[in-house]
Amino acid sequence: MRRLTIGVKACTEIMGLLVAMAWADGVLKDEEKEGIRAASTSLNLERGLRDRLESFMATDPGLDGADLDGLSERDREFAFVACAWMARVDSGVDDAEQKLLREIGGMLRVDGERQAALAELAGSIDGPDQGASWSTGLVELFKAIAKKVVAEEIEIDFE
């Protein structure tokens, strides 16, 4: 079986982008915060990186804190899938989320056609089960993206 992984920096930056997506509606709910905290622990992010995510959760950071320059193409596409999933996880993509997703796509250097294909992939990944925690949902998201990438044979490899 092929194992797909992403690096710690990519994982941290993706989590930061997910925080920004969660803030798109103007409110970061307590369950979203707890989910991000628990997921960062489950993903074994070091304390300094978890502290950085805490600062993103304290006030809406927008995309100013994102450090995406060092991400590989596969990491950028993985990040876009995760953000597209986050945008729709609460049963709809509103205008603010759509605008932010396009902005993230631009920052990740993912062109419009590829954004559409990756958003379609994200749409095929289930959200957290009813009653499931956000931490479980985020960890499962990372696993599901990797599985979908293999199943759909989309050209993303992971180190």
Side-chain angles (χ1 to χ4, degrees):
M1 173 166 63
R2 192 165 117 184
R3 184 175 176 175
L4 305 177
T5 59
I6 60 172
V8 173
K9 177 184 180 351
C11 186
T12 304
E13 295 309 319
I14 292 167
M15 292 290 290
L17 292 173
L18 294 177
V19 171
M21 286 302 304
W23 270 109
D25 62 3
V27 177
L28 187 64
K29 298 175 186 141
D30 287 340
E31 66 265 16
E32 291 170 326
K33 289 178 187 177
E34 288 307 312
I36 290 162
R37 287 180 185 121
S40 67
T41 300
S42 296
L43 294 167
N44 205 25
L45 297 182
E46 65 183 49
R47 183 72 193 155
L49 298 174
R50 289 190 311 233
D51 289 345
R52 186 167 170 231
L53 289 172
E54 283 293 329
S55 72
F56 289 166
M57 289 189 291
T59 58
D60 182 358
L63 298 174
D64 292 338
D67 180 14
L68 308 176
D69 290 336
L71 299 185
S72 68
E73 180 179 359
R74 67 182 168 261
D75 292 340
R76 291 190 313 268
E77 289 193 346
F78 190 104
F80 187 83
V81 172
C83 290
W85 177 88
M86 181 64 104
R88 62 167 276 287
V89 76
D90 59 359
S91 70
V93 181
D94 66 27
D95 291 341
E97 290 168 324
Q98 188 61 46
K99 180 181 176 198
L100 184 60
L101 189 57
R102 281 192 305 271
E103 187 177 349
I104 288 170
M107 290 178 69
L108 291 168
R109 300 186 309 270
V110 177
D111 69 39
E113 187 176 313
R114 188 68 174 150
Q115 284 184 30
L118 294 172
E120 186 175 326
L121 175 65
S124 70
I125 299 171
D126 293 332
D129 293 332
Q130 289 292 53
S133 72
W134 272 94
S135 62
T136 300
L138 291 176
V139 171
E140 290 304 313
L141 166 66
F142 278 53
K143 291 178 186 176
I145 291 172
K147 287 177 188 172
K148 289 286 185 178
V149 165
V150 170
E152 301 290 328
E153 296 183 18
I154 288 181
E155 294 296 322
I156 305 176
D157 320 322
F158 299 89
E159 302 173 326

